[in-house]
Amino acid sequence: MTTSDAAAPTNVSESLPANTPAAPAAPPVAKKVPVERTHHGDTFVDNYEWLREKENAEVVAHLNAEQAYTDAVTAGQEQLRTDIFNEIKNRTQETDLSVPSRKDDWWYYGRMVEDQAYGIQCRVRAESNGTLDDWTPPLVEPGVDVPGEQIILDGNVEAEGQPFFSIGGAAVTHDGNLYAYAVDNAGDELFTIRIKDLRTGELLPDTIENAFYGLAFSPDGSTLYYMLADDSWRPHQVKTHILGTPVDTDKVLYQEDDVAMWTGFDLSADRRHLMISIGCSEFSETRLLDFAAPEKGLQVLIPRSAEILYDAEPFLLDGVEKVLLTHDRDAVNSMISLVDAAEFSKPVDQQVWETVVPHDPAVRINGASVTATHMVVSLRKNTIESVQVTELEGLGTAAQAAAVEPAFDEELYTASMGGSEYESPVIRLVYTSDFTPPRVYDYVLPVGDAGGELLLRKETPVLGGYRSEDYVATREWATAADGTKVPLSVLRRADLPRDSANAGVIYGYGSYEMSMDPGFGVPRLSLLDRGVVFVIAHVRGGGEMGRPWYDDGKKLNKKNTFTDFVAATDWLAGSGWVNPARIAALGGSAGGLLMGAVANLAPEKYAAIVAQVPFVDALTTILDPELPLSALEWEEWGNPITDPAVYKYMKEYTPYENVRAVAYPKIAAVTSFNDTRVLYVEPAKWVQELRAVSTGTEPIVMKIEMDGGHGGASGRYEGWKTRAWDYAFLADAIGATELR
């Protein structure tokens, strides 16, 4: 049954114990400075837009007052936060190493050391004797010295004295002598690129400021390719830096002037080409730079005017230049074709494309790459992401070999590519499920009847007596208002009684075709061990059910995302697992917009909501293409600047404009001052409007990290503290503070 729900109280918090200390009498109240925003004949009066003035001392003082209020309101949760933090810490093997990955003549891996917040990047020499043993990674163990180990970069040293530290990319030359890395010390995702000579440990004088994500060396190591973003944080320039020359003489290899297009680059699998990708969520364009003939410049494969969404992988097959295309031409869920490179000189409708993987309405093709001997395909079927491999010999012909997929035991899992060398006879796979810690496998590529073996290299240890059999994950289905079945992942302890008395947390995202795939999370165990049923709602707008699932939750279908989440909440309330009065909701970024929308749609269904870096003022942001990343959002939400229908539709659901006079539950908006993806001003305005309009008495707070970015403060311990804060807020609100 669903609970629309006569059994549910008008305000769920009324049925909960009052275990949160009384809030200070007066939360921060921002002054009202009415600003009119008029579009398509509609005028909206925004009283708090002035909070966008980041350099205004009054704004900073207000934000600090918000944090002080939050600290006071949640002071009673301090012990619970400490307990959850310690549970995360005690389950984590703090001194650990990643499985080494081979690149050229070295094995690269990372170290984590107890009481150190950041990783240490290392490498050791690889042996080569022409056998499969060449691709067997050296055994590296926690606390054990590795003979010949070279430390490339110690993040703890780099972070010393800095308010924030994050690595935004790294690249090493083919000969292994030079290492380029990008550092962010503010959280604004603008990086300083430095280059280290790994033979001497010395930094080269070449330093590039304010770069974006993306680094690659030319094959001879003489040139570094990097990205720049424009004033709205949109990556738009690929630049070349010749080592040893002044940075101010760097050339622009490519510039994208369309404000609605995103630009990035990578190396082809065989490292013979630089691949520049330009696109949005609906069509794209790839330009190749052939390192063997750079004088030819960038070569366009399929122009964006063809309105095809595609990824390209150039490679040699029997000495012939080919391109593997993953594309949506007459294939909503995408398919894979093989094309002679020479075909791209013809108009698209005259090109010959050989089908390699045909379209299947039940299978979403995520992408494809190659090794020297195999095609490797990432795909999704029945919500599950997996990998298939096919021998290159005979590819695209009647003699094409059948695809082979590694087999795993669990029903709900995620298997994804973990990287591999082009010449390697194995590929690296990462496997996980909701209760299986990440496993790293090497998969021996099958040739004829040989190979196809999974070699387990590591399973991430979980301490503290963790046993996967103590927990259960099931697939359930909620029914949306229009009859659509919405998949749910329902996680709980195996010994939890189904007595309609437990607490529940429901999580969602539902945008950009991002899928919330099964994956292990140590912090989540702290909720489950307190008797919480944790539900992941795979709502429309995500990618779990293929491209149509995404299309049904974007632009003028966006409201489906929100009503799907409410339907998932109703399923949980009527499932027999929980007390409907003890349900909380959680989501971040675009999932934070989801939190704001459901708070307006059905505030009575939730005891608490945590909205992390929430995109709650989406219409204001998207109406201003000068704001960070705004124009790039048009393909996701529509363009309200030019389209009155989009404007009207968005204004009907965007959280800030739709706050209403109802009793809102406890709400925490979590943000960072230097976030460039969702500016702090969005939750700051939203919180003020909620407090001004709500008819309820529950506290509404904003937690702000003044030295953080979109992911919060940097460092693993700060990350654990942030998760502990979020979970403590929810657990306190739904009466799930004690371990069972």
Side-chain angles (χ1 to χ4, degrees):
M1 80 182 221
T2 62
T3 56
S4 36
D5 280 335
T10 301
N11 188 334
V12 293
S13 63
E14 293 173 1
S15 67
L16 298 174
N19 53 8
T20 300
V29 178
K31 66 183 180 183
K32 293 183 178 181
V33 182
V35 175
E36 291 188 353
R37 186 192 73 202
T38 301
H39 288 270
H40 307 296
D42 175 76
T43 297
F44 173 72
V45 178
D46 190 338
N47 290 318
Y48 304 109
E49 177 62 14
W50 72 273
L51 289 172
R52 191 178 301 278
E53 300 167 13
K54 189 174 183 180
E55 304 301 322
N56 185 336
E58 189 176 356
V59 171
V60 174
H62 173 77
L63 297 177
N64 285 326
E66 286 281 16
Q67 185 59 51
Y69 175 73
T70 297
D71 291 341
V73 169
T74 63
Q77 300 164 21
E78 178 59 35
Q79 185 59 53
L80 180 56
R81 290 196 290 265
T82 300
D83 291 345
I84 294 175
F85 174 85
N86 287 331
E87 289 160 17
I88 297 170
K89 192 173 188 291
N90 293 337
R91 285 187 172 113
T92 303
Q93 183 165 295
E94 294 184 67
T95 297
D96 203 3
L97 299 94
S98 65
V99 178
S101 296
R102 183 159 180 179
K103 184 175 180 64
D104 298 317
D105 296 327
W106 296 85
W107 288 100
Y108 292 85
Y109 55 97
R111 282 186 178 276
M112 295 297 296
V113 178
E114 187 173 359
D115 296 327
Q116 294 186 4
Y118 300 97
I120 304 169
Q121 304 306 312
C122 310
R123 70 177 184 178
V124 293
R125 280 278 184 186
E127 300 292 334
S128 296
N129 56 29
T131 70
L132 186 62
D133 290 341
D134 293 352
W135 303 97
T136 301
L139 181 63
V140 291
E141 299 177 290
V144 178
D145 291 337
V146 179
E149 179 179 272
Q150 179 182 6
I151 293 178
I152 302 171
L153 189 74
D154 187 333
N156 303 285
V157 174
E158 293 281 331
E160 190 172 348
Q162 300 291 344
F164 184 92
F165 174 76
S166 177
I167 294 289
V172 66
T173 52
H174 181 69
D175 59 16
N177 290 337
L178 299 178
Y179 176 76
Y181 62 101
V183 174
D184 173 11
N185 288 133
D188 59 4
E189 298 183 88
L190 292 179
F191 301 89
T192 297
I193 299 172
R194 299 184 177 93
I195 303 170
K196 178 185 282 191
D197 189 327
L198 297 179
R199 295 163 295 187
T200 65
E202 299 296 322
L203 291 176
L204 301 187
D206 312 58
T207 301
I208 301 168
E209 301 287 354
N210 297 318
F212 202 67
Y213 296 98
L215 286 174
F217 279 108
S218 61
D220 64 2
S222 66
T223 302
L224 181 70
Y225 300 91
Y226 63 96
M227 287 291 314
L228 289 183
D230 62 16
D231 291 340
S232 65
W233 266 266
R234 177 184 66 93
H236 74 131
Q237 282 186 348
V238 181
K239 298 194 76 172
T240 60
H241 173 68
I242 299 174
L243 272 60
T245 65
V247 172
D248 59 13
T249 65
D250 289 356
K251 298 290 193 297
V252 175
L253 177 64
Y254 179 76
Q255 176 169 312
E256 177 55 51
D257 294 323
D258 187 335
V259 297
M261 302 293 275
W262 184 280
T263 304
F265 69 82
D266 203 351
L267 298 179
S268 60
D270 59 12
R271 290 188 277 176
R272 294 185 310 112
H273 291 86
L274 183 77
M275 306 185 298
I276 298 178
S277 301
I278 309 106
C280 60
S281 64
E282 299 187 351
F283 57 87
S284 59
E285 180 175 281
T286 297
R287 300 182 180 220
L288 300 182
L289 179 69
D290 186 346
F291 287 129
E295 68 280 358
K296 293 181 180 178
L298 293 172
Q299 304 296 307
V300 177
L301 294 183
I302 304 167
R304 69 191 73 184
S305 58
E307 297 190 349
I308 297 171
L309 186 64
Y310 70 98
D311 291 321
E313 184 67 68
F315 69 107
L316 288 174
L317 181 60
D318 297 328
V320 178
E321 193 75 50
K322 300 278 190 177
V323 177
L324 199 64
L325 289 179
T326 303
H327 64 91
D328 69 349
R329 185 184 187 188
D330 301 320
V332 64
N333 265 338
S334 293
M335 60 183 291
I336 301 176
S337 299
L338 187 65
V339 186
D340 283 354
E343 291 292 308
F344 295 110
S345 62
K346 306 174 185 176
V348 173
D349 59 0
Q350 297 178 22
Q351 295 171 11
V352 177
W353 296 10
E354 301 293 343
T355 297
V356 170
V357 179
H359 179 252
D360 184 337
V363 178
R364 176 68 163 120
I365 303 297
N366 295 326
S369 186
V370 294
T371 71
T373 57
H374 287 73
M375 175 181 68
V376 184
V377 177
S378 171
L379 54 86
R380 183 180 302 278
K381 185 177 183 179
N382 296 326
T383 79
I384 300 302
E385 182 182 4
S386 58
V387 173
Q388 290 182 351
V389 298
T390 305
E391 292 182 64
L392 289 182
E393 185 175 351
L395 196 70
T397 72
Q400 178 175 312
V404 179
E405 183 174 325
F408 299 99
D409 296 333
E410 295 180 273
E411 176 189 4
L412 304 178
Y413 67 89
T414 302
S416 56
M417 279 290 293
S420 63
E421 273 282 76
Y422 180 70
E423 298 291 343
S424 174
V426 303
I427 58 171
R428 179 67 51 86
L429 298 178
V430 178
Y431 174 92
T432 186
S433 74
D434 291 307
F435 297 119
T436 300
R439 294 173 179 169
V440 176
Y441 288 99
D442 280 339
Y443 180 62
V444 181
L445 292 168
V447 179
D449 296 328
E453 182 182 3
L454 279 169
L455 306 174
L456 179 63
R457 300 305 190 192
K458 179 179 182 177
E459 180 173 313
T460 301
V462 182
L463 309 182
Y466 172 76
R467 303 190 319 152
S468 61
E469 58 266 33
D470 291 340
Y471 305 89
V472 175
T474 63
R475 167 71 77 239
E476 308 293 347
W477 299 84
T479 302
D482 62 0
T484 299
K485 298 295 185 181
V486 180
L488 312 174
S489 295
V490 180
L491 318 181
R492 57 178 173 81
R493 282 194 61 92
D495 58 1
L496 195 71
R498 192 168 186 172
D499 58 5
S500 297
N502 303 299
V505 170
I506 181 166
Y507 171 84
Y509 187 76
S511 293
Y512 304 108
E513 204 179 355
M514 296 289 292
S515 298
M516 302 296 104
D517 292 320
F520 186 77
V522 164
R524 194 168 56 211
L525 298 176
S526 291
L527 286 180
L528 299 178
D529 287 350
R530 286 172 170 79
V532 173
V533 178
F534 195 97
V535 176
I536 302 167
H538 304 287
V539 294
R540 280 175 281 186
E544 289 90 343
M545 300 285 284
R547 179 73 183 200
W549 195 250
Y550 169 50
D551 290 336
D552 284 347
K554 66 182 292 194
K555 291 189 174 179
L556 296 180
N557 294 319
K558 189 64 203 172
K559 292 178 187 177
N560 288 333
T561 301
F562 316 134
T563 53
D564 283 0
F565 191 88
V566 173
T569 305
D570 288 342
W571 178 91
L572 179 59
S575 67
W577 285 110
V578 306
N579 177 348
R582 301 181 66 195
I583 296 175
L586 173 67
S589 198
L593 184 154
L594 170 61
M595 294 300 99
V598 300
N600 290 331
L601 280 174
E604 74 283 357
K605 295 181 185 291
Y606 305 98
I609 293 173
V610 170
Q612 304 155 318
V613 290
F615 191 34
V616 285
D617 193 18
L619 188 53
T620 300
T621 296
I622 297 173
L623 283 168
D624 186 353
E626 299 302 316
L627 291 176
L629 306 178
S630 290
L632 294 169
E633 301 288 354
W634 295 338
E635 295 302 330
E636 181 71 20
W637 316 93
N639 187 344
I641 300 172
T642 60
D643 191 332
V646 170
Y647 175 87
K648 179 178 182 295
Y649 187 81
M650 289 191 70
K651 195 179 177 190
E652 290 171 355
Y653 71 71
T654 44
Y656 182 53
E657 287 89 342
N658 287 282
V659 173
R660 56 196 179 97
V662 295
Y664 283 91
K666 294 181 176 72
I667 292 178
V670 181
T671 188
S672 293
F673 190 54
N674 291 326
D675 189 347
T676 56
R677 294 175 181 259
V678 179
L679 301 185
Y680 74 88
V681 68
E682 298 204 21
K685 291 165 59 175
W686 180 53
V687 163
Q688 286 298 306
E689 187 70 9
L690 284 167
R691 290 198 194 120
V693 176
S694 177
T695 62
T697 59
E698 296 294 356
I700 295 168
V701 302
M702 184 173 78
K703 177 179 180 287
I704 183 164
E705 175 58 59
M706 296 303 286
D707 290 316
H710 194 59
S714 63
R716 58 173 171 170
Y717 298 112
E718 291 303 316
W720 296 349
K721 290 177 184 177
T722 298
R723 187 61 66 244
W725 194 98
D726 295 346
Y727 283 179
F729 186 91
L730 295 173
D732 180 75
I734 56 179
T737 60
E738 301 296 328
L739 292 169
R740 296 178 66 91

